Amino acid sequence: LIALTLAQMLDPTLDAARIAAATQQARLGHADRAIETLQAIPAASAYASSARVMEAWTLVDEGRGDDAVTLAQQAAASGDVRATRALGDIYRQLGRYDAAEGVYSTLITAHPDDWRLYFARGAVLMRTDRVADGEADLQRALALSPDQPDVLNYLGYAWIDQGVRLQEALGMIQRAVALRPDSAAIVDSLGWAYYRMGDYPRALDALERAVQIDPGDATLNISTAPSARH
């Protein structure tokens, strides 16, 4: 952080350093400093869009959802795809699912081969109980990019939770674990799948392994209790 600060002093136009410094400030809980650093990046900078998006997410973390949306809308107005997708993601994070769906649908029309957009819209549709449409989007995401552990986990978990297509869902989550074995959330999903299918020894093993991967996650620790998800 000190080196980055010195770099900024030596070269005020070094906006990449400002992004890195703001990232570290945010991680340390210094949101105001992070925002101040990001606001120093001018609109003409090649890093301007990244700065506005990061600033918006920092505002979300600070509980300033309306301010975050306003900033993300301004960034998206430039037509930058990444900023527009971030706007949709912020809407989704804030539970404004109709607005998020609208953003993702517009992006899908312009970029019909981007699996991330179908994944994001599918998650929104599932959240709003449009299960069939959500599953269709998630399956489209997998058709476009079959080895995405997050999508495999999300759809597999949804089927397990519904009690449908259990063997197929288990296979998807097992594949997700193979692709990302250090993800506590995905390993936790595997434990839940085994539990729902009555394989309690494997369920306990997977759930304990998830806790070992991320012992600080209270949700994972609670989930090792059989009644935790009910």
Side-chain angles (χ1 to χ4, degrees), residues 4 15 24-25 40 50 59 61 69 72 77-78 84 98 118 122 133 138 143 149 152 168 182 188 198 206 215 218:
L4 291 171
D15 291 333
Q24 186 66 8
Q25 289 164 341
S50 295
L59 291 170
D61 292 340
V69 167
S78 68
T84 305
D98 289 343
Y118 290 98
D133 291 337
L138 294 171
L152 289 164
E168 185 179 358
D182 294 331
D188 181 69

Side-chain angles (χ1 to χ4, degrees), residues 1 20-37 54 57-59 61-63:
L1 183 57
T23 299
Q24 186 66 8
Q25 289 164 341
R27 285 176 181 167
L28 292 172
H30 305 311
D32 290 343
R33 292 182 187 176
I35 290 171
E36 183 180 351
T37 300
M54 185 177 172
W57 277 114
T58 303
L59 291 170
D61 292 340
E62 290 297 293

Side-chain angles (χ1 to χ4, degrees), residues 13-145:
T13 66
L14 196 55
D15 291 333
R18 289 192 174 97
I19 293 282
T23 299
Q24 186 66 8
Q25 289 164 341
R27 285 176 181 167
L28 292 172
H30 305 311
D32 290 343
R33 292 182 187 176
I35 290 171
E36 183 180 351
T37 300
L38 293 166
Q39 289 177 341
I41 298 176
S45 170
Y47 293 91
S49 179
S50 295
R52 301 296 86 79
V53 167
M54 185 177 172
E55 184 182 347
W57 277 114
T58 303
L59 291 170
V60 170
D61 292 340
E62 290 297 293
R64 297 169 57 185
D66 289 340
D67 292 337
V69 167
T70 298
L71 188 61
Q73 287 172 334
Q74 292 170 354
S78 68
D80 182 86
V81 174
R82 180 174 175 270
T84 305
R85 189 170 71 243
L87 173 61
D89 293 343
I90 287 171
Y91 278 136
R92 178 159 55 102
Q93 178 72 18
L94 296 173
R96 303 180 190 183
Y97 297 125
D98 289 343
E101 181 189 350
V103 172
Y104 295 139
S105 294
T106 298
L107 284 171
I108 285 171
T109 299
H111 306 277
D113 295 326
D114 190 335
W115 68 269
R116 294 167 297 182
L117 299 175
Y118 290 98
F119 178 32
R121 190 176 69 176
V124 166
L125 293 169
M126 298 291 278
R127 285 278 190 173
T128 54
D129 295 325
R130 285 172 287 174
V131 175
D133 291 337
E135 289 179 352
D137 268 0
L138 294 171
Q139 288 175 309
R140 177 60 178 161
L142 285 176
L144 289 167
S145 190

Side-chain angles (χ1 to χ4, degrees), residues 160-171:
I160 290 290
D161 217 33
Q162 296 169 45
V164 301
R165 304 174 72 162
L166 295 181
Q167 287 297 333
E168 185 179 358
L170 175 62

Side-chain angles (χ1 to χ4, degrees), residues 157 188 207 210-211 214-225 228-229:
Y157 184 95
D188 181 69
L207 293 171
V211 172
D214 189 359
D217 190 317
T219 302
L220 296 179
N221 280 278
I222 292 171
S223 73
T224 58
R229 293 180 183 269

